[in-house]
């Protein structure tokens, strides 16, 4: 009668964890190659390599666990080669999925009738949008100061700098996405109040 081999439960759990993490990493790379995510999961890949090295250093007596580790190592090696090949194609610009998207964009550009293409207004940059918002607040503030009999000889740049500092402070303190400004009159004086927007 064959002697039953003792199973190291802790090592078995680590093998299962490695298998799950390898599966998740495979999905993350598929997302990356499909363009769904912009960042390559390099850190997760390095962590998994380190984990595999740790598993290989273990003294394994159970035949089934030895076989499972060999299988996982072979699967990991196959995926590594697959990822490396795809990364090389991405680098060269020959990856099928990325090439297909680039070709589709090029076709759409060529098919658009040149005559009907009216000149589109240039999209504002985030900095330009931000500057316009500050300018609007500044204009309202100067108008309110004039009505209250306060001096209106303020420099836009200095007011903008004060508003920017307030935005940074409020975003940091209240963890909000943006800040809205209101121009109010209190005790006959014009004031700018910052309100956090969540």
């Amino acid at each position: 009668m064959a002697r039953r081999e003792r199973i190291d439960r802790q090592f078995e759990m680590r093998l299962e964890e490695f298998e799950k993490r390898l599966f998740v990493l495979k999905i993350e790379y598929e997302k990356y190659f499909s363009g769904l995510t912009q960042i390559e999961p390099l850190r997760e890949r390095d962590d998994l390599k380190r984990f595999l090295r740790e598993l290989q250093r273990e003294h394994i007596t159970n035949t089934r666990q030895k076989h499972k580790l060999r299988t996982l190592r072979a699967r990991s090696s196959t995926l590594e080669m697959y990822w490396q090949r795809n990364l090389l194609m991405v680098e060269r610009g020959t990856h099928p999925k990325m090439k297909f998207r680039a070709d589709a964009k090029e076709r759409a550009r060529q098919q658009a009738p040149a005559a009907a293409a009216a000149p589109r207004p240039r999209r504002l940059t985030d900095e330009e949008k931000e500057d316009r918002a500050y300018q609007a607040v500044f204009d309202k503030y100067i108008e309110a100061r004039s009505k209250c009999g306060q001096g209106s000889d303020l420099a836009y740049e200095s007011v903008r700098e004060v508003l920017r500092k307030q935005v940074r402070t409020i975003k940091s303190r209240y963890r909000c996405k943006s800040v809205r400004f209101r121009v109010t009159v209190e005790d006959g004086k014009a004031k700018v109040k910052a309100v956090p927007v969540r």
Side-chain angles (χ1 to χ4, degrees):
M1 184 177 169
R3 185 169 63 86
R4 287 183 66 186
E5 290 181 306
R6 186 168 158 273
I7 295 174
D8 185 338
R9 296 287 174 198
Q10 197 172 359
F11 187 73
E12 189 70 23
M13 284 167 68
R14 291 178 74 199
L15 284 173
E16 284 173 11
E17 185 190 345
F18 178 82
E19 192 170 14
K20 283 175 190 170
R21 282 172 64 178
L22 185 63
F23 177 72
V24 170
L25 187 60
K26 182 185 172 188
I27 291 169
E28 287 303 312
Y29 263 104
E30 287 306 316
K31 284 182 185 176
Y32 175 68
F33 293 135
S34 299
L36 296 172
T37 55
Q38 301 300 313
I39 300 165
E40 183 190 349
L42 263 175
R43 194 177 65 182
E44 291 84 350
R45 186 177 170 185
D46 289 340
D47 287 347
L48 205 61
K49 281 181 185 176
R50 204 175 298 114
F51 192 11
L52 180 60
R53 285 196 297 271
E54 287 171 13
L55 290 174
Q56 287 174 315
R57 280 198 290 266
E58 292 283 337
H59 178 66
I60 313 159
T61 55
N62 186 282
T63 311
R64 189 175 68 81
Q65 288 181 331
K66 277 182 186 176
H67 175 70
K68 188 171 183 178
L69 179 59
R70 273 198 299 271
T71 305
L72 288 172
R73 189 175 59 201
R75 195 186 307 168
S76 173
S77 179
T78 303
L79 285 169
E80 279 287 338
M81 286 191 289
Y82 169 72
W83 295 332
Q84 207 54 48
R85 193 168 63 245
N86 276 271
L87 287 167
L88 197 62
M89 285 194 285
V90 168
E91 208 173 287
R92 291 174 177 168
T94 58
H95 192 277
K97 288 180 181 175
M98 294 188 177
K99 197 169 182 297
F100 173 77
R101 283 202 302 276
D103 290 346
K105 280 182 184 176
E106 186 59 36
R107 278 197 301 273
R109 251 200 313 269
Q110 288 173 355
Q111 286 171 2
R120 290 184 181 181
R122 186 177 67 83
R123 287 183 69 180
L124 295 174
T125 64
D126 289 344
E127 199 174 317
E128 287 171 329
K129 285 178 187 174
E130 184 185 298
D131 200 57
R132 282 196 177 187
Y134 286 136
Q135 185 68 57
V137 174
F138 176 76
D139 292 343
K140 284 180 185 175
Y141 180 52
I142 293 298
E143 188 184 337
R145 281 178 69 91
S146 298
K147 285 178 181 174
C148 295
Q150 293 174 278
S152 57
D153 57 339
L154 295 173
Y156 166 65
E157 286 75 16
S158 58
V159 174
R160 182 183 61 190
E161 208 47 50
V162 171
L163 296 178
R164 273 183 176 158
K165 281 179 185 173
Q166 282 187 328
V167 167
R168 284 197 294 271
T169 306
I170 288 170
K171 278 185 176 180
S172 172
R173 186 179 297 165
Y174 296 100
R175 306 280 182 204
C176 57
K177 287 186 177 179
S178 60
V179 177
R180 189 170 60 240
F181 289 101
R182 275 196 330 230
V183 177
T184 60
V185 176
E186 291 178 16
D187 302 322
K189 289 186 178 180
K191 290 183 179 179
V192 179
K193 286 193 173 180
V195 182
V197 178
R198 286 188 171 84

